Amino acid sequence: MTSTVEERLRFTGLQDKVMSADAAAALINNGDTLGLSGFTRAGDAKFVPHALVERAKGLEDFKVDVYTGASLGFDTDALMSDAGIVRKRLPFQVDRTMRGHINKGDVGFIDQHLSVTSEYLRQGAMKIDVAIIEATAITEDGYLIPTSSVGNSPIYVESADKVIIELNVAAPAELEGLHDIYVPEKQGERGPIPIMHANDRVGAKGIKLDMNKVVAIVVTEQEDSPSNIVPPDAETQQMANHLLDFFRKEIKEGRLTNTLAPLQSGIGSVANAVLAGMVDSEFEELEVYSEVLQDAVFELIDAGKVKSASCCSFTLSREKMDAVLPRIKEYADKLVLRPQDISNSPEVIRRLGLICMNTALEFDIYGNVNSTHVSGSKMMNGIGGSGDFARAGRLSIFVTKSVAKDGKISSIVPMVSHVDHTEHDVDVVVTEQGIADLRGLTPRERAALIIENCAHPMYKEALRNYFEEAKATVGGQTPHMLTKAFSFHNNLAEHGTMLP
Amino acid sequence: MTSTVEERLRFTGLQDKVMSADAAAALINNGDTLGLSGFTRAGDAKFVPHALVERAKGLEDFKVDVYTGASLGFDTDALMSDAGIVRKRLPFQVDRTMRGHINKGDVGFIDQHLSVTSEYLRQGAMKIDVAIIEATAITEDGYLIPTSSVGNSPIYVESADKVIIELNVAAPAELEGLHDIYVPEKQGERGPIPIMHANDRVGAKGIKLDMNKVVAIVVTEQEDSPSNIVPPDAETQQMANHLLDFFRKEIKEGRLTNTLAPLQSGIGSVANAVLAGMVDSEFEELEVYSEVLQDAVFELIDAGKVKSASCCSFTLSREKMDAVLPRIKEYADKLVLRPQDISNSPEVIRRLGLICMNTALEFDIYGNVNSTHVSGSKMMNGIGGSGDFARAGRLSIFVTKSVAKDGKISSIVPMVSHVDHTEHDVDVVVTEQGIADLRGLTPRERAALIIENCAHPMYKEALRNYFEEAKATVGGQTPHMLTKAFSFHNNLAEHGTMLP
């Protein structure tokens, strides 16, 4: 798949900027804010950050702020955080090592809705010094063609004083033509985002470069880190089935047709299993409007079930990469890659009326969702785009297994230890036990339904007891006993299990 | 101001539908869902709901669901809930009596973002049986002209099987021409909402009526209940001053100009004081894009400071009503009244880049905001539109006095007892003590700043102690000790004060 540098670097006058990753890393100053390409391991800047880690080993107190699209692959977050060079990191990460540093307080992490980073930059409330962006090509007319993700790259390039490009000759040349780079003006000066269907093309083929900003081009040859999605287990499949049954019920009641509504799904095996479950189904002419496309979307496209699919990145398993990438051109009429403020735009999400499926860490009996913090304090990954979608979508669905750690942890608790999605933004919750449709229900009605339909049998009685005692002793719109609201979590901390 | 019925009821063929409120109320069936006009006491259906209360006195177990724009005036919520006829109420209320019934569990209350009620109806997830809408006029070409609010009236009329109109001859005839009724199509079938400036007119002059649905016209003559806004006290004025200084700093740093950005302000005296503080200021050519306009906006218009003002209702003091209503026509080129899914549209809010000012009940050291629940259980009013604005706006600002009840309650707590706005959606918090600009800060940095700048001196040490102990013993992204997170609230419950 590899092409020559000449085929990729087509703009005249940049050839003298080609240099090694080490030389490019030397252009980064202590204290700089870096804007990196990369979203769910896809299309990430791979070599200059690693070279920076090496360079920093000889320097004292070298620190940078690292902004990205979302998560990086290639162990970059692990290496950077272990090297101690990251002062602040935003808006999302999933790295186990970096997570450790964040929770120790070594790395400052700002957990941000994925659609808003660009707005802070556009307003001047944040600023990028150096953008480091992976590219498929630089065109003769001066566009940077991203690779397998777009992320925040357009705004990082716009905001940056210096741009370093990782020209990845291992990225399929045929990615060129898949992107649609629509960049809103400043707030107050912009018009509507004119997207009416998932595959509407409304922008440019790539990111327009100001050549005066380009300080380095590093030629690389390295595929994305494959996704590590696990195949669905029995419980994952049960959750997927509950959701498919729910869609069928919505169709029966006339609220949806068998083309459903544009689908968004967070990363993870449940979302993948739901989509995989549509391959042999009555659902057809589907639209996908999501952040990230996983394996199942390509299976659905291959099965002729998908009319159009919009994303900000695609993240595939090793196997799927080998199957899809050589023939990525065949997907070009259906597939669009967008910046994350467009893939996650509340304007477009509400207009299209998305069905949004995201994963919860825990939810409470009233339908509040914790997506991020273990026991209220420790960061797992981040809110990602779930908040963009849950508030603006047509149907906001959260999924999680009812228990974790062999039943020692109940994912349904009296009160979540951290709130990412309030009850106002949660329409449906699903576990392998069942589904609770919360629309049109008061908090007290929600509690009764969630406990009966979604909680694991071994926790039902404790949850019922909490709810009944709270109603009897405190009452209110959302009955809570603040001295016992975290009793499940406190049991876990003291006795190693949430069970009373 | 009163005109004749003939001047108001101009559509031919409806005259035989004119009847008493009692006769109209008799058309409502047990179990119906009612969609009432009314938003912040303005433009509410006043007589048919009262007649229904009277009618229900002779009936057993008569219950209806009551949907509105937002709060009602004229004691309607008190009368209905005391009469026991309300099964479910949404999306907002502010009535002390109804609040009591909600917290006892007698009235089921669904606390809903004000922009989303229409979406649930349009999807078919909810349904109106009878719409009861106050009107200024019914035009010769079949439009219902609302009065001082639009609220959810367009979608209630669209969804309803029966429409009852309260034709209020005391409403200024000159209200006709102020409204702009833009009704989106269903999700997936709609285009962009083409609003680029606060006073853009993009819809119809009124609500298009299907005359077959109109079952009753009740002629009324009753002004809106005036707002009961209190004049700013010293602390309210301090908060307003902090905010005005903050805007000046944003201008100095090049992020705003002295025309600022379109302003949204929740109802209340701080918001009013901020706007009043702009009357004699360097700010000019202001735009207002808000749910409700209070007295100060009209003072700003009179002072020549406002270029345009968009709202869903206006709610004035007795004094201001007398001053403004007789010359409401003079405001017609600046003022637009819209449906609440347009005044609160995330699409428009983000496009215009609103500066959003809303009131918190309490916020925590990490910047999470509770707008609704006293001690986590008891409903105060509801989230209203604050969530629509806080998530989508340019700057999301929350204000509250640092203490309440003579210092027995701190509005800044270790962990809020209920979350309406997560830290992701809160940019700036303000008390009379000072202001904390949270943009670009990690949770730990937020905590340090909020405690120092916003907490009352008598609570600073206890908050610092909590924060330091949580960092030392638990750590994490958002250090919390779940056994002590509600210690302030538990102190209050046990000892009548949050002070340790």
Side-chain angles (χ1 to χ4, degrees):
Chain A
M1 245 185 289
T2 305
S3 354
T4 64
V5 175
E6 289 67 34
E7 288 170 321
R8 305 297 186 105
L9 179 48
R10 305 201 297 267
F11 186 83
T12 312
L14 279 183
Q15 282 68 12
D16 64 331
K17 303 289 186 194
V18 175
M19 63 183 78
S20 68
D22 291 339
L27 300 172
I28 296 165
N29 295 319
N30 192 3
D32 274 354
T33 297
L34 311 183
L36 269 56
S37 68
F39 198 106
T40 52
R41 300 165 156 249
D44 50 334
K46 299 175 177 68
F47 289 88
V48 177
H50 285 225
L52 187 67
V53 167
E54 288 307 309
R55 183 187 156 211
K57 284 181 182 165
L59 300 169
E60 214 167 309
D61 285 335
F62 187 91
K63 294 271 188 193
V64 288
D65 289 352
V66 179
Y67 299 4
T68 60
S71 60
L72 303 175
F74 216 53
D75 285 331
T76 301
D77 271 330
L79 287 167
M80 287 193 302
S81 57
D82 265 351
I85 67 168
V86 183
R87 188 177 48 195
K88 278 193 186 170
R89 179 79 175 84
L90 69 80
F92 186 75
Q93 60 77 42
V94 300
D95 186 81
R96 176 188 299 265
T97 303
M98 177 165 271
R99 186 187 297 157
H101 289 287
I102 288 169
N103 287 323
K104 268 189 276 180
D106 300 346
V107 170
F109 179 56
I110 300 178
D111 181 23
Q112 211 165 51
H113 297 304
L114 296 188
S115 77
V116 304
T117 310
S118 64
E119 301 291 8
Y120 284 112
L121 286 160
R122 225 168 259 128
Q123 289 165 17
M126 304 193 313
K127 165 86 183 87
I128 298 292
D129 296 303
V130 185
I132 310 173
I133 311 293
E134 190 181 70
T136 302
I138 301 169
T139 64
E140 33 287 88
D141 50 350
Y143 285 93
L144 183 161
I145 308 297
T147 58
S148 51
S149 74
V150 180
N152 279 318
S153 299
I155 188 70
Y156 289 167
V157 166
E158 187 179 315
S159 173
D161 300 319
K162 301 178 194 170
V163 175
I164 296 173
I165 298 168
E166 291 196 5
L167 189 66
N168 188 347
V169 295
E174 294 75 14
L175 288 174
E176 200 173 330
L178 287 186
H179 309 90
D180 182 53
I181 310 298
Y182 181 89
V183 179
E185 301 291 317
K186 284 185 177 180
Q187 287 172 312
E189 298 170 14
R190 68 177 63 155
I193 302 169
I195 295 174
M196 249 67 74
H197 302 96
N199 63 345
D200 281 352
R201 292 189 172 273
V202 299
K205 63 182 173 183
I207 300 166
K208 187 73 188 165
L209 280 176
D210 172 353
M211 295 303 161
N212 295 318
K213 288 185 180 182
V214 179
V215 295
I217 296 173
V218 178
V219 178
T220 70
E221 187 176 346
Q222 173 68 46
E223 288 194 300
D224 284 338
S225 314
S227 77
N228 45 9
I229 191 165
V230 292
D233 58 18
E235 290 167 346
T236 306
Q237 196 53 56
Q238 281 164 347
M239 286 190 260
N241 293 344
H242 291 316
L243 262 173
L244 293 168
D245 287 345
F246 170 76
F247 294 147
R248 292 187 176 105
K249 192 161 155 274
E250 288 294 293
I251 292 170
K252 211 168 152 190
E253 297 185 4
R255 287 191 286 269
L256 291 172
T257 68
N258 68 350
T259 63
L260 298 178
L263 300 165
Q264 176 267 334
S265 61
I267 204 155
S269 53
V270 179
N272 202 57
V274 169
L275 296 179
M278 293 181 179
V279 169
D280 297 309
S281 75
E282 71 277 34
F283 304 115
E284 57 183 13
E285 294 278 299
L286 297 167
E287 281 193 276
V288 177
Y289 196 90
S290 204
E291 285 172 352
V292 51
L293 304 187
Q294 299 181 96
D295 288 15
V297 173
F298 290 87
E299 285 159 29
L300 277 174
I301 296 177
D302 290 343
K305 289 288 191 184
V306 170
K307 198 169 69 175
S308 56
S310 166
C311 66
C312 168
S313 84
F314 52 85
T315 300
L316 304 175
S317 65
R318 179 71 260 168
E319 194 187 6
K320 211 55 169 178
M321 281 171 86
D322 294 338
V324 164
L325 292 184
R327 51 190 193 87
I328 190 75
K329 218 178 170 68
E330 297 171 25
Y331 297 91
D333 62 327
K334 298 211 160 70
L335 194 62
V336 184
L337 275 157
R338 306 184 188 281
Q340 70 196 69
D341 49 354
I342 306 300
S343 65
N344 290 30
S345 157
E347 170 179 340
V348 178
I349 294 165
R350 187 165 288 194
R351 181 183 305 144
L352 269 50
L354 266 51
I355 296 173
C356 305
M357 296 171 278
N358 291 287
T359 303
L361 259 189
E362 60 179 6
F363 55 84
D364 68 28
I365 57 173
Y366 297 113
N368 300 283
V369 169
N370 173 9
S371 302
T372 56
H373 282 68
V374 176
S375 290
S377 299
K378 298 272 202 304
M379 175 57 58
M380 180 64 89
N381 300 325
I383 191 168
S386 57
D388 294 321
F389 290 101
R391 181 154 301 172
R394 171 200 305 257
L395 267 171
S396 162
I397 301 166
F398 283 90
V399 300
T400 185
K401 293 185 185 181
S402 70
V403 292
K405 306 252 175 199
D406 301 324
K408 294 193 187 73
I409 294 177
S410 173
S411 306
I412 294 93
V413 292
M415 178 187 264
V416 285
S417 57
H418 179 90
V419 177
D420 290 293
H421 307 287
T422 70
E423 51 129 344
H424 313 285
D425 299 319
V426 181
D427 291 318
V428 175
V429 288
V430 187
T431 69
E432 81 289 349
Q433 298 293 320
I435 191 163
D437 179 357
L438 308 174
R439 292 173 296 173
L441 301 187
T442 66
R444 290 173 185 227
E445 291 171 332
R446 289 173 160 231
L449 194 69
I450 287 173
I451 294 170
E452 293 320 309
N453 287 13
C454 298
H456 193 279
M458 73 175 114
Y459 284 99
K460 278 190 182 178
E461 195 188 340
L463 289 167
R464 274 190 216 115
N465 290 345
Y466 177 86
F467 178 47
E468 292 303 324
E469 190 183 346
K471 276 194 291 186
T473 60
V474 182
Q477 164 79 355
T478 308
H480 266 307
M481 302 172 288
L482 295 184
T483 51
K484 298 182 179 180
F486 295 136
S487 54
F488 277 40
H489 302 88
N490 293 333
N491 279 349
L492 180 67
E494 268 181 60
H495 310 297
T497 173
M498 284 188 174
L499 279 169
Chain B
M1 245 184 291
T2 305
S3 355
T4 64
V5 175
E6 289 66 35
E7 287 170 322
R8 305 296 185 108
L9 178 48
R10 305 200 297 266
F11 186 84
T12 312
L14 280 182
Q15 281 69 12
D16 64 332
K17 303 288 186 195
V18 174
M19 63 182 77
S20 69
D22 291 339
L27 301 172
I28 296 166
N29 294 320
N30 192 4
D32 274 354
T33 297
L34 311 183
L36 270 55
S37 68
F39 199 106
T40 52
R41 302 165 155 247
D44 51 334
K46 299 175 177 67
F47 290 87
V48 177
H50 285 226
L52 187 67
V53 167
E54 288 307 310
R55 182 187 157 212
K57 284 181 182 164
L59 301 168
E60 215 168 309
D61 285 335
F62 187 91
K63 295 270 186 192
V64 288
D65 290 352
V66 179
Y67 299 4
T68 59
S71 60
L72 303 175
F74 215 53
D75 285 331
T76 301
D77 271 329
L79 287 167
M80 288 193 302
S81 56
D82 264 352
I85 66 166
V86 184
R87 188 176 49 195
K88 278 193 185 168
R89 178 78 175 85
L90 67 79
F92 186 77
Q93 60 78 42
V94 301
D95 185 82
R96 176 189 299 264
T97 303
M98 176 164 270
R99 186 186 298 158
H101 289 287
I102 288 169
N103 287 323
K104 267 188 277 179
D106 301 345
V107 169
F109 179 55
I110 300 179
D111 181 23
Q112 211 166 52
H113 298 303
L114 296 187
S115 77
V116 305
T117 310
S118 64
E119 301 291 8
Y120 285 112
L121 287 160
R122 225 169 259 129
Q123 290 166 17
M126 304 193 312
K127 166 87 183 88
I128 297 292
D129 296 303
V130 185
I132 310 174
I133 311 293
E134 190 183 71
T136 302
I138 301 169
T139 65
E140 32 288 88
D141 50 350
Y143 285 93
L144 182 161
I145 308 297
T147 58
S148 49
S149 74
V150 181
N152 278 318
S153 299
I155 187 70
Y156 290 166
V157 166
E158 187 179 314
S159 173
D161 300 317
K162 301 178 192 169
V163 175
I164 296 173
I165 298 168
E166 292 196 4
L167 188 67
N168 188 347
V169 296
E174 294 75 15
L175 289 173
E176 201 174 329
L178 287 186
H179 309 90
D180 183 53
I181 310 299
Y182 181 90
V183 180
E185 300 293 317
K186 283 185 177 180
Q187 287 172 313
E189 298 169 14
R190 68 178 63 155
I193 302 169
I195 295 175
M196 249 66 75
H197 302 97
N199 62 345
D200 281 351
R201 290 188 174 273
V202 298
K205 64 182 173 184
I207 301 166
K208 186 72 188 166
L209 280 176
D210 171 353
M211 295 303 161
N212 295 318
K213 289 185 179 180
V214 178
V215 295
I217 296 173
V218 179
V219 178
T220 70
E221 186 177 346
Q222 174 68 46
E223 287 196 300
D224 284 337
S225 314
S227 77
N228 45 9
I229 190 164
V230 292
D233 58 18
E235 290 166 346
T236 306
Q237 197 53 57
Q238 281 165 349
M239 286 189 259
N241 293 344
H242 292 316
L243 262 173
L244 293 168
D245 287 345
F246 170 75
F247 294 147
R248 292 186 175 106
K249 191 160 155 275
E250 289 293 294
I251 293 170
K252 211 169 153 190
E253 296 184 7
R255 287 191 286 270
L256 291 172
T257 68
N258 68 349
T259 63
L260 299 176
L263 300 165
Q264 176 266 335
S265 60
I267 204 155
S269 54
V270 179
N272 202 57
V274 168
L275 297 179
M278 292 181 179
V279 170
D280 297 309
S281 76
E282 71 277 34
F283 305 114
E284 57 182 15
E285 295 278 299
L286 297 168
E287 280 193 275
V288 177
Y289 196 89
S290 205
E291 285 172 353
V292 52
L293 304 187
Q294 300 181 96
D295 287 15
V297 172
F298 290 87
E299 286 160 28
L300 277 174
I301 296 177
D302 290 344
K305 290 288 191 185
V306 170
K307 199 168 70 176
S308 56
S310 166
C311 65
C312 168
S313 84
F314 53 86
T315 300
L316 304 175
S317 65
R318 182 68 262 168
E319 194 187 5
K320 210 58 169 176
M321 282 170 86
D322 294 339
V324 164
L325 292 185
R327 51 192 192 87
I328 190 75
K329 219 179 170 67
E330 297 170 26
Y331 297 91
D333 61 327
K334 299 211 159 69
L335 195 62
V336 184
L337 274 158
R338 307 184 187 280
Q340 70 197 70
D341 49 353
I342 306 299
S343 66
N344 289 32
S345 158
E347 170 179 341
V348 179
I349 294 166
R350 186 166 288 194
R351 182 183 305 146
L352 269 48
L354 266 53
I355 296 173
C356 306
M357 296 171 277
N358 291 287
T359 303
L361 259 189
E362 60 179 6
F363 55 85
D364 68 27
I365 57 173
Y366 298 113
N368 300 284
V369 169
N370 173 10
S371 303
T372 56
H373 282 67
V374 176
S375 290
S377 299
K378 299 272 201 307
M379 176 55 60
M380 181 64 89
N381 300 324
I383 191 168
S386 57
D388 295 320
F389 290 101
R391 181 154 300 173
R394 170 200 305 258
L395 267 172
S396 163
I397 301 167
F398 283 89
V399 300
T400 185
K401 293 184 185 182
S402 70
V403 291
K405 306 253 174 197
D406 301 324
K408 295 193 187 73
I409 294 176
S410 173
S411 306
I412 293 92
V413 292
M415 178 187 262
V416 284
S417 57
H418 179 89
V419 177
D420 290 293
H421 307 287
T422 69
E423 52 129 344
H424 313 285
D425 300 319
V426 181
D427 291 318
V428 174
V429 287
V430 187
T431 69
E432 83 289 349
Q433 299 293 320
I435 190 163
D437 179 358
L438 307 175
R439 291 174 296 173
L441 301 187
T442 66
R444 290 174 186 227
E445 291 171 332
R446 289 173 161 232
L449 193 69
I450 286 173
I451 295 170
E452 293 320 309
N453 287 14
C454 298
H456 194 279
M458 73 175 115
Y459 284 99
K460 277 190 183 178
E461 195 186 341
L463 289 166
R464 275 190 215 115
N465 290 346
Y466 177 86
F467 179 46
E468 293 303 325
E469 190 183 345
K471 277 194 290 186
T473 60
V474 182
Q477 164 79 353
T478 308
H480 266 307
M481 302 173 288
L482 295 184
T483 51
K484 298 182 179 179
F486 294 137
S487 53
F488 278 39
H489 302 88
N490 293 333
N491 279 350
L492 179 68
E494 269 181 59
H495 309 297
T497 173
M498 285 188 173
L499 279 169

